Amino acid sequence: MTLRLLAFCLFCLIMPLFTEAQSRYDILITECFPDPFPSVGLPESEFIELKNSSAHDYNLHNWKISNGNSSATIKTDYILKADSFLILCSTASADAYSHFGPTLGISGFPSLYNDEGEIILTSESGAVIHALHYDKSWYNNELKAKGGWGLEMIDLHDPCTGKGNWTSSISESGGTPGYKNSVEAYNPDEQPPSLVRAITIDSLNLILLFDEPVDSSSASSNSDYSISDGIGYPDSAHAQPPFFDRVAIHLQNPLIAGTIYMISLQQIVDCSGNEIGQNNTCKAGIPEKAKSGDIIFNEILFNPPPYGYDYVELFNRSSRIIKCSDLFISVKNMDGSLKDPMALVNEERFFFPGEYLLLTENPDWVLQNYPMANKEQILSLSSLPSMPDDQGKVVLLNAQGEVLDELDYDHHWHSPLLANETGVSLERIRSDLPTSLASNWTSAAAIAGYGTPGYKNSESSVDSSGGNFISVEPKIFSPDFDGYHDFCFIHYNLPAAGYMGSILIYDISGRKVCTLVNNVLWATSGTFRWDGLDDQQNLLPMGHYIIYVELFLPDGTVRKQIQVCVLARGR
C-alpha cells in the first residue's frame, strides 16, 4: 500500500470524528427529566437525552447545552455515533445514569425548570441544532406533571413540533434514558404553520410570531410578506434562533402611529414541509400609552364552581394599540390600599381597538366549561389577585401606576331570578356607561353557557325599539334531515338585558306539545331552534303550530309574543 493511499484511508477513518452537523435536527433532544422528585424508578437528578438521527458520527467537543439562562460546555471529545443515544447529566449523577446507557457528565450542567423551561443544543460553531420550550401541559397527565416522570418525544421524524409530539413516559421506571422512548409512535406533523401575532419593535422593525418553528430558507423570502396601507414588501426577513418560530422583518417604509396594518404572507413552510394556509394574516401597528378609560373591565367570574378558576375580561374601547406589558391588575384592600400589582404578560403582545382579553390561571378549564370562550384572546397568568365570592375591588393600572379602570363588583348585581350564582359570570351591558354603575352589569345568559370569556358579551346592549322582538324562519319547515329547512329557527332581539323567559309550542287545538325553553336567562339577542319534536322526542304530525314566548324582568315588566309556523313533510 502506498503512503498516499494509507494517508487517504486514515483520513476516511478519522473524518467522521470531526464532522460538524450540517443542518438542524441531525442530533435531537429526545427526552428530558425536569422534575425528578419523587422518583418512581430513575435517579433523583435531571438528565437530557440526545439521539444522533443522522447517518454520520459527530464529535461533541465544545458543544453546549443551555436552559436559556445558563449553559454548559462539553469539554472532552465524545463521539456520538449515528443512530445512537447519549445521556447528558451533571458530573455527580453520571455514575447513576451510566447503568441506563451511554452517559456523559457535564460540569455546570444547567438546571431544568420544573413548570416550564428551555433546552437548547448548539454546536461548536454556535449553530442551534435542536431546541425546545416545554411546559407542564406537555405531560398530558396532571399526576405525572407533579414529578418523577420524564418527557419523551413521540415521533423522532417530527422534531420541530412541540406539545403535540411530546408526552409523559409510560415506562414503569418513569423514563427511558439511553434507549428507545416508551411512547415512540408514528405521529406526523400534518398541520401548516400559522401566524399568531406581530410585535412592533420600532417603525421599521417587526417580529412575527408563529405557532411552530418555520423553515429558515422559506421564511427568508421577503416577497412572501405583504403589509397593507402602502408599506408593501419588507427589505428583509430572517427566522430567529433558537426556536425559529419568530421571523424578524425590516420594512422599506415606516409604520405611522394611529394606523392598524394587516400583514399577510404565503409559501412559508414548517420543518415538515407543510405550507402556510391562505388568508393567514395578523394586525400590526405602533403602540401608544394607555390612558384612563381606554381599557375597561367587561366581564368577571369571581364565584367559579369547585375546582374551577376565576377570570377577568378586558375590553379595549379606545382607538389606540396598547402594549400588554404596560398593563397590571390588582385588588384593593379594605383600607383602600392596593395589593402588589401583577403583570398581564411575560411575553409581549398588543391589545388592539375593539378586542377582548381574558385573564385566567387556567385557560384549559375555561375552554372546557364555557363554549363561547375565544381561545385566541385568553392570557394565562401564573396567578390572579384573590377575588371574594361576595364582593371585591379589582383595579387595572398602566406601567406608570395610573388607574385605567376600577370594578367594585357585588354578587347582588346578578339577576335575582338566578337559582344559583356559582359558575355564572357578570357581564357589562354597555361599554360607554360607567364601570361602577350596578345597573350596567348582569348575569351572563344561559344560552351562552353563563359566560362569554374573550368574546362579545351575551348581555351587551342592543337597540331594539320595535314591538316585535321575535321572528321565525322559515315559516314552513320539514324536519326530515334532507338538508332543506330541517329546523325552525326562532330569532330574538331584546331592548335590554336581564330577561328571563320561556318558549312553549302549541298545536292548532291549543294543546301544549313542547316546552322548548323553560324559564332561563336570555341574552339580548340570539336564536333558539325547534326540530319538530314534542316533549317525548317524538316527531309531531304535519300542521300549523303556535310558538308562544313569554319574558319578564325582575321589576315586573312582562313581554309576550306569538308566532305561527307550519310543520310539513319533505318533497
Side-chain angles (χ1 to χ4, degrees):
M1 181 180 292
T2 65
L3 183 62
R4 178 176 295 180
L5 181 59
L6 178 61
F8 178 77
C9 291
L10 287 173
F11 173 75
C12 292
L13 288 171
I14 65 173
M15 183 177 66
L17 304 185
F18 301 97
T19 299
E20 178 73 16
Q22 297 300 308
S23 63
R24 294 200 319 249
Y25 312 123
D26 272 2
I27 296 178
L28 303 177
I29 302 163
T30 53
E31 187 174 355
C32 60
F33 196 36
D35 187 0
F37 302 99
S39 172
V40 295
L42 294 177
E44 291 187 333
S45 56
E46 301 165 349
F47 75 84
I48 295 167
E49 178 188 79
L50 302 183
K51 169 74 181 295
N52 185 344
S53 64
S54 76
H56 307 288
D57 299 345
Y58 287 104
N59 189 345
L60 302 185
H61 182 240
N62 284 332
W63 284 43
K64 289 182 173 60
I65 193 77
S66 171
N67 64 4
N69 292 318
S70 63
S71 62
T73 303
I74 299 174
K75 295 294 188 181
T76 59
D77 287 322
Y78 185 91
I79 308 306
L80 183 57
K81 293 186 177 296
D83 195 34
S84 62
F85 292 96
L86 173 64
I87 304 167
L88 297 181
C89 61
S90 66
T91 54
S93 305
D95 286 343
Y97 276 114
S98 64
H99 297 290
F100 293 86
T103 302
L104 183 60
I106 304 176
S107 178
F109 182 79
S111 177
L112 305 182
Y113 301 110
N114 292 354
D115 292 342
E116 66 173 309
E118 301 174 358
I119 305 176
I120 305 165
L121 178 68
T122 54
S123 67
E124 183 177 13
S125 66
V128 174
I129 306 304
H130 193 199
L132 54 92
H133 188 151
Y134 64 88
D135 62 53
K136 277 194 169 184
S137 68
W138 285 26
Y139 286 94
N140 297 305
N141 185 303
E142 290 187 9
L143 178 62
K144 292 183 178 181
K146 293 180 180 179
W149 295 85
L151 281 171
E152 297 182 352
M153 185 187 290
I154 299 170
D155 190 341
L156 273 59
H157 295 95
D158 180 21
C160 58
T161 297
K163 178 181 178 180
N165 196 37
W166 284 77
T167 192
S168 51
S169 175
I170 57 174
S171 168
E172 292 182 355
S173 61
T176 55
Y179 55 100
K180 179 181 175 180
N181 286 348
S182 63
V183 300
E184 187 171 315
Y186 181 64
N187 186 42
D189 175 18
E190 298 176 342
Q191 295 299 316
S194 180
L195 178 60
V196 177
R197 61 181 179 272
I199 301 298
T200 304
I201 306 303
D202 55 44
S203 62
L204 289 173
N205 293 282
L206 292 88
I207 302 293
L208 307 184
L209 280 69
F210 293 81
D211 64 347
E212 63 173 314
V214 295
D215 176 71
S216 298
S217 59
S218 72
S220 63
S221 176
N222 61 334
S223 61
D224 288 338
Y225 304 84
S226 180
I227 300 93
S228 67
D229 294 82
I231 301 298
Y233 300 139
D235 270 339
S236 62
H238 300 286
Q240 294 188 311
F243 303 111
F244 300 95
D245 58 352
R246 300 170 181 228
V247 175
I249 61 173
H250 180 77
L251 308 181
Q252 302 180 57
N253 304 301
L255 303 179
I256 299 173
T259 301
I260 297 177
Y261 299 87
M262 294 301 298
I263 300 177
S264 57
L265 39 82
Q266 60 182 354
Q267 297 184 344
I268 294 173
V269 300
D270 60 20
C271 69
S272 299
N274 301 305
E275 184 174 327
I276 198 164
Q278 294 182 347
N279 301 319
N280 212 287
T281 62
C282 74
K283 299 175 184 177
I286 296 179
E288 301 178 64
K289 175 187 173 183
K291 298 181 180 180
S292 177
D294 283 352
I295 311 296
I296 59 172
F297 291 108
N298 198 59
E299 183 176 348
I300 183 171
L301 177 68
F302 50 85
N303 185 12
Y307 309 108
Y309 294 82
D310 295 340
Y311 69 66
V312 175
E313 181 188 79
L314 306 176
F315 177 63
N316 184 349
R317 68 176 181 184
S318 76
S319 60
R320 283 183 275 273
I321 303 170
I322 308 298
K323 291 199 300 183
C324 287
S325 61
D326 287 344
L327 301 178
F328 298 81
I329 190 169
S330 182
V331 293
K332 277 190 174 181
N333 297 312
M334 295 298 293
D335 60 3
S337 62
L338 283 174
K339 290 188 176 179
D340 291 338
M342 298 177 181
L344 262 57
V345 293
N346 293 320
E347 182 179 53
E348 187 63 272
R349 69 177 288 167
F350 290 173
F351 196 3
F352 286 86
E355 281 189 345
Y356 304 90
L357 277 183
L358 196 283
L359 316 178
T360 183
E361 296 174 7
N362 193 325
D364 289 339
W365 180 85
V366 173
L367 291 167
Q368 291 167 4
N369 288 274
Y370 294 90
M372 299 292 290
N374 184 353
K375 180 179 180 180
E376 304 303 320
Q377 302 306 123
I378 299 180
L379 291 180
S380 178
L381 275 65
S382 58
S383 63
L384 266 179
S386 177
M387 295 186 293
D389 292 348
D390 52 356
Q391 59 184 14
K393 302 175 186 290
V394 190
V395 182
L396 185 69
L397 310 161
N398 63 16
Q400 291 72 40
E402 300 167 343
V403 175
L404 302 180
D405 198 19
E406 182 173 338
L407 172 60
D408 190 359
Y409 69 84
D410 192 307
H411 78 104
H412 290 108
W413 293 4
H414 274 297
S415 169
L417 303 174
L418 272 180
N420 188 351
E421 299 172 1
T422 302
V424 182
S425 74
L426 274 177
E427 291 185 338
R428 190 182 190 124
I429 299 170
R430 289 180 53 176
S431 62
D432 58 336
L433 294 179
T435 302
S436 59
L437 187 63
S439 60
N440 196 37
W441 292 83
T442 191
S443 307
I447 194 173
Y450 295 110
T452 54
Y455 191 73
K456 179 183 176 182
N457 287 351
S458 64
E459 299 292 11
S460 58
S461 181
V462 175
D463 181 14
S464 176
S465 54
N468 292 326
F469 57 92
I470 297 293
S471 62
V472 171
E473 180 269 327
K475 293 287 188 180
I476 301 175
F477 75 111
S478 54
D480 50 14
F481 297 98
D482 63 353
Y484 179 78
H485 291 175
D486 288 324
F487 302 101
C488 177
F489 294 96
I490 304 163
H491 307 295
Y492 66 93
N493 196 7
L494 302 175
Y499 277 96
M500 296 282 289
S502 302
I503 300 178
L504 308 177
I505 312 294
Y506 293 85
D507 63 19
I508 198 65
S509 301
R511 180 175 61 91
K512 183 174 76 68
V513 293
C514 176
T515 302
L516 186 64
V517 178
N518 186 24
N519 200 33
V520 301
L521 185 63
W522 288 37
T524 49
S525 62
T527 300
F528 292 102
R529 186 186 75 180
W530 183 40
D531 52 12
L533 303 181
D534 63 15
D535 284 333
Q536 286 74 45
Q537 299 300 295
N538 298 314
L539 181 62
L540 290 162
M542 292 189 296
H544 289 75
Y545 288 89
I546 299 167
I547 300 171
Y548 175 73
V549 179
E550 183 175 33
L551 301 173
F552 56 93
L553 289 172
D555 64 5
T557 301
V558 178
R559 304 194 70 164
K560 301 177 182 179
Q561 191 171 332
I562 292 175
Q563 290 281 345
V564 177
C565 68
V566 176
L567 192 160
R569 290 287 180 261
R571 294 169 294 181

